[in-house]
Structures are given as C-alpha cells and as structure tokens.
C-alpha cells in the first residue's frame, strides 16, 4: 500500500464567529473551494495549500438573501455559482493564468 508523503492534509479554515455548515467542497488540480452557509474560501490545489481568497457575507446580506444553499464549481471556466435563495444566485470568477 502506498501513501503520498504529507497526506492527508488538514486546512485551518478559521472561525467566522458562528458555526457554519459546509455546503460544498470542490477539489481539482488548481483549486480547492470550500463554501459554507455564510462564506466561501478558495485554496491553492497543489501540495502546499495556501488560502488565496476568502469571502465573508455580512449579517445584513444573510438576512435579506438567506444562507448559501448549494454551490457548483466549473473548473474549465473557473467559475463558482452559489445558490443563496430560490430566486437569487451569486456568481464568482477566479482570474485565469492565461494572458488574454
């Protein structure tokens, strides 16, 4: 049996001040995305996990739009779609490494 050196890894996702459930977890060769009920984080997908970004929704946004319900990561377009309510969706995009 073979185990890669240094795996499994644990991510220190931090504390947002209140308990958040994980809505979605997506992992590909470039990124690791974790979407919680009130926030989203993006990490480097390589061997060294580095947090690249963090989006924390404010309390007012959570009251008006509701909690994050579902999330979908499209790795080919580097686009994250987060369903926050039946009638609204939040789209987040990551920059491409390819020059335009």
């Amino acid at each position: 049996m073979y185990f890669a050196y240094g795996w499994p890894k644990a991510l220190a996702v931090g504390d947002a001040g209140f308990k958040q459930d994980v809505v979605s977890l997506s992992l590909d060769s470039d990124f690791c995305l974790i979407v919680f009920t009130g926030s989203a984080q993006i990490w480097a997908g390589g061997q060294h996990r580095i947090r690249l970004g963090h989006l924390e929704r404010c309390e007012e946004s959570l009251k008006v739009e509701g909690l994050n319900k579902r999330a979908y990561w499209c790795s080919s377009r580097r686009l994250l779609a987060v369903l926050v309510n039946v009638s609204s969706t939040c789209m987040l995009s990551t920059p491409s490494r390819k020059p335009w």
Side-chain angles (χ1 to χ4, degrees):
M1 186 181 281
Y2 175 76
F3 291 100
Y5 179 76
W7 291 89
K9 295 247 180 199
L11 297 177
V13 294
D15 183 21
F18 61 95
K19 185 180 182 302
Q20 294 188 41
D21 295 327
V22 175
V23 173
S24 176
L25 175 66
S26 299
L27 177 66
D28 62 16
S29 61
D30 295 326
F31 298 107
C32 174
L33 286 99
I34 307 169
V35 179
F36 298 94
T37 52
S39 64
Q41 295 183 8
I42 184 168
W43 294 73
Q47 180 181 0
H48 303 289
R49 301 275 190 232
I50 300 168
R51 186 164 64 180
L52 302 173
H54 178 86
L55 175 67
E56 185 76 34
R57 294 180 52 207
C58 66
E59 289 184 32
E60 181 181 334
S61 170
L62 292 172
K63 288 178 185 175
V64 172
E65 298 175 348
L67 300 174
N68 297 338
K69 302 288 183 190
R70 300 256 190 253
Y72 176 74
W73 168 246
C74 178
S75 60
S76 63
R77 294 186 181 182
R78 296 178 187 236
L79 185 70
L80 176 67
V82 180
L83 178 67
V84 292
N85 202 346
V86 176
S87 61
S88 61
T89 304
C90 177
M91 304 292 268
L92 305 169
S93 178
T94 60
S96 175
R97 292 186 289 189
K98 299 176 186 175
W100 294 100

